[in-house]
């Protein structure tokens, strides 16, 4: 009887021991990680890669700062390799085998090449961050297949060609950063289809030309930056009392419109930069009613008195420099 009790106790302890140390990481996820490791293990200076703990006895869900497991199936939902020097390697196709991935961060890793089509297999992906690399080629239209995507950041790369209109087919997208590339062509009119509230868009530092489509006035931008391009025409339709606009930078383009015709500005507007354009007319009285904290209209063709009230007289004179005939405080030039 005592012997049976002893054997039973040993069995229970063995069972509990195996249960306690059972691996959470799904075998398919671990296989994908090992393939990624194999593909990226050649860089000689990649301290992060070489320091990964690939001990098969360690649950890969516990590989801190690289992956995170979660969801009902306890699968890998986050893969993070920021600041790893991958020595100009391409994005490993095996990343797409992490089929439950929701967040992919590969920024500042010295990646090169094009975005692999296999990435479209990530049907749960919400955040795709590939900024500060050396990725090149066209921005692929197949990114529109990532229907769960909410944030796309491809900034500070070497992408060329036009912006694919199909990006507007992403129903959940609310953040789009394509700044500091070598993109050409026009801003797609289809971008008017973005419907997520408080949209963030940054297309600055490219070679975009043409007019900003007036249909984009239907989008409720919270942040819009199209500075340092070759854009022309009127942007007055982007302002309005019922907008959520906080930050707007249109500087260093070829925009040409009568600023006087803008009657209303969002109360939320805190930063507006129109410098280095060809804007004409007077400064609108509506600026006085906004909560704007930073304004730059220098290097334009504005005339008339700077409206009195609000914070306009508190800005530096450099905010109004090099216009045709602006006058009144804070400028030293008096109005006749």
């Amino acid at each position: 009887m005592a012997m049976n009790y002893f054997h039973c106790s040993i069995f229970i302890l063995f069972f509990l021991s195996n249960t306690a140390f059972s691996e959470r990481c799904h075998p398919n996820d671990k296989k994908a990680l090992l393939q990624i490791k194999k593909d990226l293990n050649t860089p000689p200076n990649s301290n992060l890669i070489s320091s990964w703990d690939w001990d098969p006895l360690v649950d890969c869900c516990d590989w801190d700062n690289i992956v995170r497991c979660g969801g009902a199936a306890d699968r890998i939902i986050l893969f993070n390799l920021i600041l790893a020097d991958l020595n100009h390697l391409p994005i490993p196709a095996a990343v797409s085998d992490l089929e439950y991935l929701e967040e992919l961060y590969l920024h500042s890793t010295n990646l090169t090449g094009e975005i692999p089509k296999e990435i479209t297999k990530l049907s749960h992906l919400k955040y795709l961050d590939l900024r500060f690399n050396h990725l090149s080629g066209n921005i692929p239209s197949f990114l529109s297949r990532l229907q769960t995507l909410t944030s796309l950041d491809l900034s500070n790369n070497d992408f060329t060609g036009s912006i694919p209109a199909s990006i507007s087919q992403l129903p959940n997208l609310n953040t789009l950063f394509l700044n500091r590339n070598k993109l050409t062509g026009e801003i797609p009119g289809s971008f008017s289809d973005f419907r997520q509230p408080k949209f963030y868009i940054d297309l600055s530092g490219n070679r975009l030309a043409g007019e900003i489509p007036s249909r984009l006035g239907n989008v409720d931008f919270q942040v819009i930056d199209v500075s340092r391009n070759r854009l022309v025409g009127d942007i007055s339709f982007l302002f309005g009392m019922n907008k959520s606009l906080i930050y707007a930078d249109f500087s260093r383009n070829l925009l040409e419109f009568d600023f006087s015709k803008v009657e209303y500005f969002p109360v939320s507007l805190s930063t507006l930069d129109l410098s280095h354009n060809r804007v004409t007319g007077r400064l609108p009285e509506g600026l006085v009613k906004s909560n704007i904290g930073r304004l730059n209209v220098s290097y334009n063709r504005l005339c008339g008195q700077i409206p009195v009230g609000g914070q306009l007289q508190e800005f530096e004179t450099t905010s109004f420099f090099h216009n045709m005939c602006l006058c009144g405080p804070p400028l030293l030039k008096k109005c006749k």
Side-chain angles (χ1 to χ4, degrees):
M1 187 74 174
M3 185 62 69
N4 289 338
Y5 178 80
F6 175 76
H7 286 158
C8 184
S9 299
I10 292 295
F11 174 78
I12 291 173
L13 288 172
F14 179 78
F15 176 78
L16 291 176
S17 175
N18 279 329
T19 302
F21 293 101
S22 62
E23 194 168 40
R24 290 169 53 207
C25 187
H26 193 279
N28 290 352
D29 289 345
K30 190 165 189 177
K31 181 181 178 181
L33 289 172
L34 290 172
Q35 185 61 50
I36 295 169
K37 166 68 172 177
K38 181 180 179 181
D39 292 343
L40 299 180
N41 202 28
T42 53
N45 300 320
S46 183
N47 294 326
L48 177 60
I49 298 295
S50 61
S51 67
W52 284 4
D53 187 355
W54 294 97
D55 187 340
L57 298 178
V58 177
D59 191 331
C60 68
C61 285
D62 295 328
W63 292 338
D64 292 338
N65 303 319
I66 300 170
V67 301
R68 184 170 71 234
C69 295
D74 212 17
R75 302 293 295 270
I76 289 179
I77 59 173
L78 178 146
F79 184 71
N80 173 20
L81 270 188
I82 62 172
L83 302 178
D85 184 2
L86 302 182
N87 199 29
H88 303 281
L89 289 172
I91 297 173
V95 167
S96 62
D97 293 328
L98 298 171
E99 56 183 320
Y100 284 82
L101 203 62
E102 296 179 5
E103 302 179 47
L104 177 58
Y105 302 101
L106 296 174
H107 73 75
S108 305
T109 55
N110 277 326
L111 287 167
T112 59
E114 300 184 359
I115 299 175
K117 194 170 185 177
E118 290 86 353
I119 205 169
T120 57
K121 292 165 58 178
L122 299 176
S123 59
H124 301 277
L125 196 64
K126 297 179 181 178
Y127 299 91
L128 178 58
D129 185 349
L130 303 176
R131 59 191 152 130
F132 286 101
N133 284 296
H134 305 285
L135 299 172
S136 58
N138 292 342
I139 294 175
S141 59
F142 57 67
L143 291 178
S144 62
R145 300 183 195 175
L146 298 172
Q147 290 288 289
T148 57
L149 207 62
T150 62
S151 177
L152 176 61
D153 193 341
L154 305 179
S155 62
N156 292 272
N157 278 287
D158 297 314
F159 289 111
T160 56
S162 58
I163 301 173
S166 58
I167 290 180
S168 63
Q169 297 172 15
L170 295 168
N172 300 302
L173 196 71
N174 58 31
T175 302
L176 177 62
F177 292 155
L178 304 178
N179 49 298
R180 295 185 179 273
N181 280 285
K182 300 172 183 176
L183 299 172
T184 55
E186 299 184 352
I187 298 174
S190 64
F191 276 17
S192 62
D193 295 335
F194 290 131
R195 284 293 179 268
Q196 289 298 317
K198 302 178 181 178
F199 203 96
Y200 286 62
I201 189 168
D202 191 342
L203 307 177
S204 64
N206 282 289
R207 301 167 186 173
L208 301 173
E211 297 186 357
I212 298 177
S214 59
R215 293 159 54 189
L216 267 64
N218 297 324
V219 184
D220 190 16
F221 292 110
Q222 191 166 46
V223 171
I224 180 169
D225 189 344
V226 293
S227 62
R228 298 179 183 273
N229 279 289
R230 302 167 185 173
L231 300 170
V232 300
D234 191 350
I235 58 166
S236 56
F237 54 85
L238 293 171
F239 302 106
M241 185 179 297
N242 297 321
K243 301 281 189 178
S244 302
L245 195 60
I246 295 176
Y247 179 97
D249 191 345
F250 304 100
S251 63
R252 298 184 183 275
N253 279 288
L254 303 171
L255 300 173
E256 189 170 356
F257 64 100
D258 186 349
F259 201 20
S260 312
K261 294 182 179 179
V262 180
E263 296 184 31
Y264 303 105
F265 293 88
V267 176
S268 57
L269 187 63
S270 65
T271 297
L272 175 59
D273 194 337
L274 288 169
S275 63
H276 295 269
N277 277 289
R278 301 172 180 176
V279 183
T280 59
R282 303 167 65 93
L283 286 177
E285 292 289 337
L287 285 171
V288 174
K289 300 177 182 179
S290 69
N291 293 318
I292 194 163
R294 179 179 177 270
L295 175 69
N296 192 346
V297 294
S298 62
Y299 292 90
N300 278 291
R301 302 172 181 177
L302 295 167
C303 275
Q305 181 173 354
I306 297 173
V308 177
Q311 303 183 61
L312 296 188
Q313 277 67 48
E314 299 177 15
F315 295 133
E316 298 289 337
T317 56
T318 52
S319 297
F320 307 100
F321 269 176
H322 294 278
N323 276 284
M324 290 184 66
C325 48
L326 275 183
C327 61
L331 293 176
L332 299 177
K333 183 178 180 179
K334 295 182 179 180
C335 299
K336 296 180 180 179

